[in-house]
Amino acid sequence: MTHSAQPSPLQARSSGPLAGEVRVPGDKSISHRALILGALSVGETRISGLLEGEDVLNTAKAMRALGAQVERTGEFAWSIRGVGVAGFAQPQVPLDFGNSGTGCRLVMGAVAGCPITAIFDGDASLRTRPMRRVLDPLELMGARVRAGGESGRLPLTLNGACDPLPILYRTPVASAQIKSAVLLAGLAAPGATTVIETEASRDHTELMLKHFGAQIVSTREGPHGRRITLTGQPELHGAEVVVPADPSSAAFPIVAALIVQGSDIVLSDVMTNPLRTGLMTTLREMGAAIEASERRGDAGGPMAQIRVRASKLRGVEVPPERAPSMIDEYLVLAVAAAFAEGPTIMRGLQELRVKESDRLEATAAMLRVNGVRVEIAGNDLIVEGRGHVPGNGLVATHMDHRIAMSALVMGLASDQPVKVDDTSFIATSFPDFIPMMRGLGAAFG
Ligand code: S3P
C-alpha cells in the first residue's frame, strides 16, 4: 500500500475533561501474525477485529502475492485460505512493507523456509532500519540474501532454503521480531528449532503457533529469559482469531486521560498479556488511577476493560529489564513524565534507536521544543517533570506514527498548543486516532 506523500500537519490544544468509552483498534502484532499464520495453514482462517492500518494491509497484500487467498469479508473481518507450511508461491512483484518492520521481518522468516525468491522493500524509514539481525539466523537456516542497496538494508532479495535447517539461536537483543522470524522459518525445517532470549519479548508468535496446531514449548531461562522450542513441519490448520484491542494504541488515550484535568475514560477489550503491560505498571508506580477488570483469555492472552482517571503523577525510575514489555510506549511515557513532578529515569533504551525513527533522539527533541528539560545519558532518557509543559513547539515526526500521536497527546494538556508537522503516518497503526480522540473531547485543529 503506497503511503500518501502529502504531509498533513495538525495542532493540539488544551482540552476540557476527556470522557467516554472507546475501543481502540485491533492489536498490530496479533493482526500481522494472524494473516501470516493463516497463509501458512491448510483450510480457512477467520479473523475478527483485524487492525486495518497500512502496516497490516501491506502484510495482507504480501500474503496474497505469496499465493494465499485473502479476503475482507466485513468490517475488520477477514478470511484467509492458506497454502500450508513451506507452500508459498514465487511472488511476481516485490513485497512492499511500507513503514512496517514487523511485517517485513516476520515475512522474511516465513519466506526463508520456502524454496522461492522474493524482493523485500519498504518506505524511506524502513529502508534505514537494520535487517541483519534477522538475516543472520535465516542464513544459518539455509536462506541466501542478495542486497539491492546498502548491506543489511532494504531493498534486498531473499532466496528461501530448499532444505531449511533447524537451529538453536540466542537472540542478540530482546526482539520478538527476530524470535518470530526464526520460528516461522523453523516451521519448514525438520526437527527442533530453538530460540533462547535473555529477556522475554512478546510471546504472540508462540501462543498463536500453538493455536494453529504447532507443537511449541516455552520454558524459563535465567531470571528474565525464555527458551522456546518448536517442532518443525507441523500441519497448521486454519483457526478463528479474535484480535483484542492494541495496548500500544490504548497507551495514547490512557496518558491523555491522566494528564487532562478532570478526565475519566473507559477503554474496552484491551489486551493485557503480561509481556505487553510495562506501561501500565510504570504509570501505576507514578500514581496513575488505572483500574483494569480482566475478562477472558484467547490466542492473544487476557484482556481487560480499563478505566483511567486524571491523576497527579510523580517521577519514577524505570528499570532496563522492563523495556521489552513496553518498547513502543516510551514516547508517550515521556509525555506523562513531563507532566509529573520530579525526574523520570528510563533505563536501557538502546533499541529505541532502530525503530521507525531514532526514537531516543526524537522523543528528546519533541519534549525540548516544547520547553521540557530532558537529557540522554548513554542509553537512558531522563525527563525533568515539572507538573506542566509550556508547549508552543513544532514537533518533527520523522515518518513515525508514535511520535505524532505522543506529541498530539502532549498538546491536550500543555500551556500553549503543540503542533506536529505530519499526522499521515498515524494511519499505519491507528487510522481513527484523530476522530476517536475528538470523540473523547480532544481539541485538535
Ligand atoms: C513487535 C516487536 C517489537 C515492537 C514492534 C512490534 C512484534 O519490535 O517494537 O512494534 O510484533 O513482534 P522488536 O521485536 O524489534 O523489539
Side-chain angles (χ1 to χ4, degrees):
M1 182 175 212
T2 320
H3 184 88
S4 107
Q6 214 45 34
S8 174
L10 190 70
Q11 164 172 289
R13 324 178 243 107
S14 167
S15 302
L18 305 182
E21 177 167 349
V22 289
R23 187 193 197 275
V24 301
D27 185 67
K28 184 141 70 84
S29 295
I30 293 191
S31 296
H32 283 298
R33 287 160 172 81
L35 290 168
I36 296 168
L37 291 179
L40 289 172
S41 295
V42 172
E44 187 184 7
T45 287
R46 277 207 293 258
I47 310 172
S48 60
L50 189 87
L51 166 61
E52 294 178 338
E54 287 174 5
D55 281 4
V56 173
L57 296 180
N58 282 326
T59 294
K61 220 168 143 188
M63 293 306 103
R64 253 187 220 127
L66 290 162
Q69 277 178 40
V70 181
E71 230 184 290
R72 185 175 193 261
T73 53
E75 210 185 13
F76 315 122
W78 290 64
S79 158
I80 325 286
R81 284 189 182 274
V83 295
V85 165
F88 278 161
Q90 175 79 40
Q92 299 306 309
V93 291
L95 307 178
D96 182 351
F97 291 92
N99 197 245
S100 177
T102 307
C104 180
R105 293 183 176 129
L106 268 54
V107 176
M108 280 179 176
V111 164
C114 301
I116 58 168
T117 298
I119 298 170
F120 286 77
D121 205 354
D123 68 12
S125 155
L126 192 56
R127 282 182 171 201
T128 67
R129 298 181 66 188
M131 296 297 155
R132 258 289 130 215
R133 47 178 54 202
V134 173
L135 300 174
D136 281 342
L138 297 182
E139 284 183 336
L140 292 174
M141 300 176 88
R144 291 291 164 259
V145 180
R146 270 183 288 128
E150 204 190 324
S151 159
R153 300 279 190 273
L154 299 184
L156 58 80
T157 303
L158 189 67
N159 296 321
C162 290
D163 294 303
L165 299 168
I167 57 170
L168 182 151
Y169 195 69
R170 285 178 193 274
T171 55
V173 288
S175 163
Q177 294 180 4
I178 303 176
K179 168 177 66 180
S180 301
V182 174
L183 293 173
L184 290 171
L187 280 173
T193 291
T194 297
V195 179
I196 299 175
E197 43 183 12
T198 41
E199 300 282 343
S201 65
R202 66 191 68 191
D203 58 359
H204 307 309
T205 301
E206 298 91 302
L207 295 172
M208 291 180 74
L209 275 169
K210 207 175 269 172
H211 186 62
F212 279 79
Q215 200 185 320
I216 184 162
V217 178
S218 176
T219 53
R220 285 189 180 277
E221 177 88 7
H224 309 293
R226 295 272 166 91
R227 168 188 287 256
I228 302 120
T229 298
L230 168 75
T231 304
Q233 300 181 337
E235 173 150 326
L236 298 185
H237 49 75
E240 301 276 327
V241 180
V242 180
V243 185
D246 192 328
S248 300
S249 295
F252 300 102
I254 288 175
V255 170
L258 289 173
I259 62 177
V260 175
Q261 274 192 20
S263 297
D264 188 347
I265 67 164
V266 173
L267 300 167
S268 44
D269 298 344
V270 180
M271 190 221 294
T272 51
N273 177 319
L275 293 167
R276 296 288 297 281
T277 50
L279 176 73
M280 304 255 275
T281 305
T282 306
L283 289 172
R284 284 190 173 118
E285 288 171 1
M286 295 172 82
I290 300 178
E291 293 156 41
S293 43
E294 288 215 337
R295 273 213 298 116
R296 65 184 156 91
D298 62 11
M303 55 185 176
Q305 192 181 59
I306 294 178
R307 180 178 179 198
V308 188
R309 281 167 294 154
S311 307
K312 248 185 134 25
L313 302 175
R314 55 184 175 274
V316 293
E317 185 167 335
V318 189
E321 63 273 11
R322 199 176 290 166
S325 69
M326 55 178 298
I327 195 65
D328 293 332
E329 281 71 79
Y330 282 100
L331 295 86
V332 78
L333 174 64
V335 170
F339 285 93
E341 291 290 350
T344 290
I345 305 166
M346 299 166 234
R347 301 224 185 259
L349 305 191
Q350 56 278 8
E351 275 298 295
L352 291 195
R353 294 197 183 274
V354 291
K355 294 296 178 187
E356 285 84 332
S357 66
D358 178 341
R359 286 185 173 163
L360 200 48
E361 290 297 340
T363 304
M366 166 182 80
L367 294 176
R368 271 188 202 124
V369 76
N370 285 290
V372 179
R373 289 231 312 257
V374 50
E375 194 193 325
I376 298 172
N379 294 319
D380 302 342
L381 182 69
I382 303 156
V383 177
E384 294 293 341
R386 290 189 180 164
H388 79 109
V389 168
N392 206 23
L394 171 63
V395 174
T397 49
H398 302 287
M399 305 178 78
D400 190 327
H401 54 132
R402 298 199 200 278
I403 297 176
M405 290 187 276
S406 300
L408 289 171
V409 164
M410 179 163 62
L412 300 179
S414 53
D415 305 340
Q416 299 294 319
V418 169
K419 273 194 196 132
V420 300
D421 65 351
D422 187 14
T423 57
S424 63
F425 283 85
I426 293 175
T428 61
S429 71
F430 197 160
D432 285 338
F433 173 76
I434 293 167
M436 190 177 281
M437 292 300 293
R438 278 197 175 121
L440 291 171
F444 292 148

